[in-house]
């Protein structure tokens, strides 16, 4: 695929769009229509949330070299942080093949009852769940038609409250609105069966029954045993130390969130669920596991991923629709696999940099473009000024302005 050939980042923006359009077998006008205004018309933005006064844009990029479950995959990323897309692409080029799998797309509708008459112990069956499941299905009949629906009811005691979880197969939706609908629909039945008052009726964003795992294996000789062993040790340190684990997992979410945001998904819910899952043992730990044997370095990432390819903001956002189409996925589970692969790639890139050259060198080289832009550079000046800042090893705005003055005083190609 031409898209995966080297030097893509060196091409002018228009040429990158042309290459992407060719790969996706669409026109350049289609790409421009999807992304030119951030993918969101002003009237659509006004309909999505309250008090709209404009739209806020983020860079939309595509990470390259990803092979996910045997498929060459374009990974859309919306993010403002320099180096993330480059790091993901470089890691994917080295790792190449990601294998992913997801559990059933189960969302949790949660009801909390106060003053329940029934004594409830964990995992004790205290009510007839059939009418609860039936009422839940009735409230989300559009999902039931597509093969989803209520699957299980779980009752437990949390402090002085009774907690009821209704697990829902939400198919290709994120599922939050569906879970909220079910929670409110079944609450009266639960009040009648268990007594008390339904105090809370809402989705839980700790979707620990909707997990996605991404795995990679890299021959040791690609990195060298010393570097591979150091990556394993760095992961072990993060698993022991919550201060390190927080930054470690932030690096994972750089990739995951960027995909979630580009595809119109609720990245705040993804973040909250991932960090809660990392603390499920009672201590905040890593979401990844890296191991080393005689021949391979192996990495694995597991986290809750409630991503959708239908509904929500996706319906109104042309950019999100374009991003989902660009990945080539046909199910929410496949999209979750792409996001998990991106997260594992950004984690590998960060760990490799940490145990070798350090995290700052590559980051600052890419940050130089941002500094050049802030200094007032335009067009071809941006890359030239960024190169000079990197060469000087100084990335202050004052230095950038000084170098830009010098650059503009130099004779042009035509004048030489």
């Amino acid at each position: 695929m031409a898209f995966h050939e080297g030097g893509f980042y060196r091409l002018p923006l228009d040429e990158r769009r042309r290459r992407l359009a060719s790969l996706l077998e669409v026109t350049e006008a289609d790409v421009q229509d999807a992304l030119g205004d951030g993918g969101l018309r002003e009237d659509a933005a006004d309909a999505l949330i309250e008090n709209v006064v404009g739209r806020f844009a983020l860079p939309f990029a595509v990470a390259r070299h990803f092979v996910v479950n045997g498929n060459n995959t374009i990974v859309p990323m919306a993010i403002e942080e320099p180096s993330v897309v480059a790091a993901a692409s470089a890691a994917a080029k080295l790792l190449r093949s990601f294998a992913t799998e997801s559990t059933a797309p189960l969302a949790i509708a949660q009801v909390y009852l106060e003053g329940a008459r029934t004594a409830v112990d964990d995992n004790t069956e205290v009510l007839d769940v059939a009418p609860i499941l039936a009422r839940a299905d009735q409230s989300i009949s559009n999902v039931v038609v597509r093969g989803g629906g209520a699957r299980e009811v779980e009752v437990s005691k949390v402090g002085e409250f009774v907690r009821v979880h209704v697990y829902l197969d939400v198919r290709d939706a994120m599922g939050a609105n569906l879970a909220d609908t079910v929670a409110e629909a079944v609450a009266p039945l639960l009040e009648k069966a268990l007594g008390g008052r339904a105090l809370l009726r809402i989705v839980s964003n700790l979707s620990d029954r909707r997990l996605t795992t991404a795995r990679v294996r890299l021959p040791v000789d690609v990195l060298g045993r010393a570097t591979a062993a150091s990556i394993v040790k760095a992961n072990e340190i993060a698993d022991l130390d919550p201060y390190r684990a927080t930054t470690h997992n932030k690096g994972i979410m750089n990739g995951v969130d960027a995909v979630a945001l580009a595809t119109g998904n609720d990245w705040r819910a993804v973040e909250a669920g991932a960090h809660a899952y990392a603390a499920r043992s009672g201590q905040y730990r890593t979401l990844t596991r890296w191991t080393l044997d005689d021949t391979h370095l192996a990495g694995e990432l597991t986290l809750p991923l409630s991503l959708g390819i239908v509904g929500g903001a996706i319906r109104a956002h042309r950019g999100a629709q374009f991003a989902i189409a660009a990945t080539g996925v046909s199910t929410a589970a496949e999209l979750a696999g792409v996001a998990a692969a991106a997260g594992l790639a950004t984690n590998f890139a960060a760990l490799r940099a940490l145990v070798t050259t350090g995290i700052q060198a590559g980051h600052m080289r890419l940050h130089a473009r941002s500094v050049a832009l802030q200094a007032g550079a335009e067009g071809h000046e941006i890359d030239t000024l960024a190169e000079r800042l990197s060469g000087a090893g100084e990335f202050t705005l004052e230095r950038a302005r000084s170098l830009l003055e010098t650059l503009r005083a130099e004779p042009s190609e035509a004048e030489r």
Side-chain angles (χ1 to χ4, degrees):
M1 299 172 65
F3 177 70
H4 290 308
E5 293 174 358
F8 186 76
Y9 72 97
R10 295 192 184 94
L11 299 174
L13 181 56
D14 287 347
E15 178 61 15
R16 285 185 227 139
R17 284 187 184 140
R18 190 191 68 76
R19 293 272 185 100
L20 181 61
S22 176
L23 181 68
L24 296 176
E25 298 181 345
V26 299
T27 68
E28 293 176 62
D30 291 331
V31 177
Q32 180 63 26
D33 180 61
L35 302 175
D37 59 357
L40 187 64
R41 297 190 318 273
E42 198 166 73
D43 60 337
D46 192 37
L48 279 178
I49 62 169
E50 309 76 34
N51 298 347
V52 169
V53 294
R55 290 157 293 174
F56 183 86
L58 283 174
F60 182 103
V62 284
R64 305 182 305 132
H65 307 303
F66 278 83
V67 178
V68 182
N69 297 327
N71 299 312
N72 285 306
T73 303
I74 294 171
V75 178
M77 303 179 84
I79 190 169
E80 86 296 342
E81 183 175 333
S83 80
V84 171
V85 178
S89 297
K93 187 175 184 179
L94 198 63
L95 298 169
R96 285 300 292 168
S97 184
F98 297 81
T100 73
E101 60 186 24
S102 296
T103 59
L106 296 182
I108 301 172
Q110 190 174 62
V111 179
Y112 262 89
L113 298 160
E114 64 173 351
R117 295 186 302 271
T118 306
V120 178
D121 296 320
D122 285 350
N123 301 318
T124 300
E125 295 182 9
V126 294
L127 80 162
D128 179 9
V129 301
I132 307 299
L133 294 173
R135 181 69 187 93
D137 279 348
Q138 184 182 23
S139 70
I140 53 168
S141 57
N142 57 325
V143 176
V144 173
V145 169
R146 296 197 295 271
R151 296 291 184 259
E152 183 182 341
V153 178
E154 179 183 82
V155 183
S156 57
K157 194 78 178 290
V158 178
E160 62 183 89
F161 305 99
V162 170
R163 182 185 75 187
V164 180
H165 281 178
V166 182
Y167 293 94
L168 315 167
D169 184 327
V170 295
R171 298 285 81 195
D172 289 320
M174 285 182 278
N177 288 335
L178 296 171
D180 289 344
T181 297
V182 166
E184 293 184 2
V186 302
L189 296 182
L190 294 171
E191 288 175 328
K192 184 176 180 180
L194 299 175
R197 178 175 75 96
L199 181 64
L200 303 175
R201 295 153 295 176
I202 194 168
V203 66
S204 172
N205 289 128
L206 177 53
S207 51
D208 57 359
R209 299 278 291 271
R210 189 177 184 176
L211 301 176
T212 297
T213 298
R215 298 185 180 89
V216 290
R217 281 174 59 81
L218 183 68
V220 172
D221 56 10
V222 173
L223 292 178
R225 179 162 292 275
T227 298
S230 293
I231 287 173
V232 172
K233 290 174 185 175
N235 196 87
E236 289 173 353
I237 289 170
D239 207 43
L240 294 169
D241 178 10
Y243 289 89
R244 173 84 275 276
T246 301
T247 310
H248 178 102
N249 288 341
K250 187 269 181 185
I252 295 168
M253 303 313 291
N254 276 344
V256 174
D257 286 350
V259 174
L261 187 54
T263 56
N265 279 280
D266 187 348
W267 61 270
R268 287 94 49 207
V270 169
E271 276 274 342
H275 294 303
Y277 188 72
R280 67 193 182 281
S281 68
Q283 177 180 316
Y284 187 84
R285 298 183 182 277
T286 60
L287 291 166
T288 54
R289 181 170 178 261
W290 289 92
T291 57
L292 181 64
D293 60 24
D294 290 341
T295 60
H296 286 82
L297 173 70
E300 180 176 304
L301 166 64
T302 298
L303 74 167
L305 269 180
S306 295
L307 299 183
I309 61 171
V310 296
I314 297 167
R315 188 183 296 111
H317 203 295
R318 301 192 315 279
Q321 295 163 14
F322 176 85
I324 292 169
T327 65
V329 304
S330 57
T331 67
E334 290 175 352
L335 180 60
V338 171
L344 190 54
T346 53
N347 174 247
F348 170 80
L351 290 178
R352 185 188 183 202
L354 275 172
V355 302
T356 54
T357 59
I359 203 72
Q360 197 68 337
H363 179 80
M364 291 308 293
R365 279 197 301 273
L366 290 164
H367 177 61
R369 287 172 55 85
S370 177
V371 177
L373 197 62
Q374 293 173 52
E378 299 176 354
H380 70 276
E381 294 176 339
I382 297 172
D383 285 333
T384 303
L385 182 54
E387 287 174 10
R388 293 187 183 185
L389 285 167
S390 298
E394 189 178 348
F395 301 91
T396 66
L397 189 55
E398 183 180 1
R399 180 64 163 151
R401 285 172 175 158
S402 173
L403 288 172
L404 181 59
E405 255 185 67
T406 302
L407 174 62
R408 286 177 171 172
E410 293 174 357
S412 66
E413 287 290 332
E415 295 170 327
R416 287 174 187 162

